[in-house]
Amino acid sequence: MSFISAMNNLESKFSWSLFGFVLAVFFGSVTIYTEFFKVETPYLTTEILSETNVLSFNEDVKELKVLWGDIDIKNLEKTISVVSVRVKNDGGSSLLKEHYDSDYPVTILVESAQIMEVELTSASSNYLRKMASISFHESKVLLPQVILDQGNNYVFKILLLHENSIDPKFSMVGKIAGVKELRIERLNEEERVGFWSEVFSGNLWVQIVRGPLYFFGFIFSLVLTFLPIIITSEYISKRRRKCVLKKYKEMGVLGCEEIQGYIFNLYLDGGISDIEKINTFISDEHNLVSYVEKSQKHLSEEYREGYYLHQRYKAEDPSYRHSERRSSFKKYRIYSLLDKSGVIEIQDDVAKVREGASEFISDFLRFVKIREK
């Protein structure tokens, strides 16, 4: 049994279309993403890229002096550090000037250190290189109220004077419309953003590329999910049918040995469905009258190819609707079963049911249905 055929069996059991289900999940996921997860507002991300000590005294040299202006850094047991900071718009729209609150400007607060100098080092656009003018006052760095398009950023360095044994601490205050909280984080922190934010981050082109990858990834996950279930289910079903068949044989009431092997194999491979088709056909005497003529027609190469073509179309698309002519190709199956099983004998162009076959098949079906309840 192929995987697609097995999936179709599931579809027939649970009355839903696999292809329709996959499409519903895919487009449903897109809708959920656009409605609940896609960020439509700007989001200011401030990250500390690096912190480096500029001065380090391994030996105490008494005559050595290190001055910053009129401050003797060495004698005060202080050091100088350079902190590199990146400010980026990671949101879904541009950060405009009117988004800033001029009465509560975006500010980086530095604790346990004195700011000596602030300098812009790089920017993602000429506009930012020209307009991103960063100022500072005592322990505060005031970020410029500039337009930050989606994905744009600028980087600046802060020169800090602080105690040798104390590391500076950073925090942020200020207000930007649509941004709930302003934070400054170190780039090497393990969890900088939430799980869903990371899953659905990126611009339109990133999402366009992700869409097909997620779609086929979902299909692959379906295969990995359902394939073990199908294999396990088929194994359990076949093992159960073997037990039922063993019990039937132990009863010792078999009959019609000519067709036993074929009927038992049909049951082991696919249950009682095909056996019921045979039983229904031979129970109607009208079918036997025209059996010889119709069997030649329905067992022809044309009908055989038409039947398997129909089965392939149905496996590929459960919603496939066949024409009236192709519907007749399905009769190939029952005539093929009758021909291979030997249930019907032909003498002088007259078809009749093999002696004992009808009783054997009916008895076997009754037993199986009772045991499988």
Side-chain angles (χ1 to χ4, degrees):
M1 179 183 294
S2 69
F3 173 73
I4 293 178
S5 298
M7 292 299 289
N8 283 329
N9 286 339
L10 286 181
E11 186 269 334
S12 62
K13 288 180 182 179
F14 298 105
S15 300
W16 48 264
S17 169
L18 174 63
F19 187 66
F21 172 72
V22 170
L23 287 180
V25 171
F26 174 69
F27 289 111
S29 301
V30 172
T31 302
I32 291 172
Y33 164 67
T34 55
E35 290 294 329
F36 298 101
F37 296 107
K38 187 178 180 181
V39 179
E40 298 288 355
T41 59
Y43 185 82
L44 194 70
T45 300
T46 308
E47 299 172 316
I48 296 175
L49 303 180
S50 64
E51 293 180 75
T52 308
N53 285 335
V54 176
L55 298 177
S56 179
F57 301 102
N58 296 323
E59 298 292 340
D60 184 14
V61 181
K62 294 182 179 180
E63 300 299 324
L64 178 64
K65 290 185 178 182
V66 179
L67 302 176
W68 178 275
D70 57 352
I71 301 174
D72 190 342
I73 296 173
K74 180 176 179 297
N75 288 338
L76 292 175
E77 296 184 352
K78 293 190 175 183
T79 187
I80 296 177
S81 297
V82 175
V83 179
S84 180
V85 180
R86 178 173 63 193
V87 179
K88 182 180 180 180
N89 179 10
D90 268 336
S93 63
S94 296
L95 176 59
L96 307 177
K97 287 185 177 181
E98 51 265 31
H99 291 154
Y100 297 91
D101 186 346
S102 57
D103 294 328
Y104 195 27
V106 179
T107 305
I108 297 175
L109 304 179
V110 184
E111 297 180 31
S112 306
Q114 179 183 346
I115 301 174
M116 309 297 290
E117 183 179 295
V118 177
E119 179 185 352
L120 183 71
T121 56
S122 66
S124 59
S125 68
N126 291 329
Y127 164 78
L128 290 174
R129 280 188 284 272
K130 182 178 180 181
M131 302 301 295
S133 178
I134 305 167
S135 60
F136 68 95
H137 177 67
E138 295 179 352
S139 61
K140 300 178 180 179
V141 178
L142 302 176
L143 299 187
Q145 297 183 7
V146 292
I147 298 173
L148 264 181
D149 291 326
Q150 184 181 359
N152 279 7
N153 69 86
Y154 58 88
V155 180
F156 60 91
K157 66 179 181 181
I158 309 173
L159 199 63
L160 298 175
L161 178 67
H162 58 91
E163 301 289 340
N164 284 322
S165 59
I166 299 176
D167 293 328
K169 296 181 180 179
F170 304 89
S171 60
M172 288 190 72
V173 295
K175 179 59 182 175
I176 295 176
V179 179
K180 292 183 180 180
E181 182 184 8
L182 294 174
R183 293 187 300 175
I184 181 169
E185 300 175 334
R186 286 173 170 78
L187 186 64
N188 58 359
E189 289 183 351
E190 291 185 1
E191 296 184 2
R192 302 191 304 277
V193 295
F195 172 75
W196 288 111
S197 297
E198 192 166 345
V199 169
F200 292 107
S201 63
N203 58 34
L204 176 63
W205 290 108
V206 172
Q207 302 306 324
I208 290 174
V209 173
R210 278 181 179 173
L213 292 178
Y214 286 173
F215 176 74
F216 289 110
F218 175 73
I219 297 297
F220 183 68
S221 68
L222 277 182
V223 173
L224 292 182
T225 301
F226 285 105
L227 189 58
I229 297 174
I230 293 169
I231 293 174
T232 304
S233 175
E234 183 64 22
Y235 172 77
I236 293 173
S237 298
K238 195 163 188 176
R239 185 174 180 180
R240 185 181 179 185
R241 291 195 291 266
K242 284 182 179 179
C243 292
V244 172
L245 186 57
K246 183 179 179 182
K247 291 288 184 182
Y248 182 77
K249 289 180 178 179
E250 288 175 354
M251 290 176 58
V253 184
L254 299 179
C256 202
E257 296 180 358
E258 295 85 353
I259 67 170
Q260 282 180 21
Y262 187 82
I263 296 298
F264 291 158
N265 287 332
L266 271 184
Y267 173 65
L268 286 176
D269 291 339
I272 62 174
S273 175
D274 284 338
I275 302 175
E276 286 183 321
K277 291 177 183 178
I278 294 174
N279 190 50
T280 300
F281 187 94
I282 63 177
S283 299
D284 188 346
E285 293 183 0
H286 292 91
N287 291 329
L288 299 176
V289 174
S290 58
Y291 175 79
V292 175
E293 178 184 351
K294 288 186 176 180
S295 64
Q296 293 176 352
K297 173 184 176 183
H298 292 301
L299 289 176
S300 66
E301 188 68 18
E302 177 190 1
Y303 274 72
R304 187 186 71 83
E305 292 180 357
Y307 171 77
Y308 286 111
L309 188 64
H310 162 75
Q311 292 297 103
R312 195 188 78 182
Y313 287 158
K314 189 175 180 181
E316 292 174 351
D317 181 7
S319 63
Y320 167 73
R321 295 292 181 267
H322 44 73
S323 63
E324 183 177 349
R325 172 167 170 74
R326 285 185 174 175
S327 179
S328 66
F329 290 150
K330 293 190 295 182
K331 294 180 181 178
Y332 167 81
R333 177 63 178 172
I334 180 61
Y335 280 91
S336 176
L337 290 171
L338 292 166
D339 181 59
K340 292 176 181 177
S341 65
V343 171
I344 293 180
E345 294 180 314
I346 299 176
Q347 295 179 355
D348 300 326
D349 290 335
V350 177
K352 67 175 184 177
V353 179
R354 184 181 293 274
E355 185 178 355
S358 181
E359 293 79 4
F360 164 70
I361 292 174
S362 297
D363 180 67
F364 180 67
L365 285 174
R366 281 194 299 271
F367 178 84
V368 170
K369 288 177 180 178
I370 293 173
R371 298 296 298 186
E372 287 188 348
K373 282 185 178 180

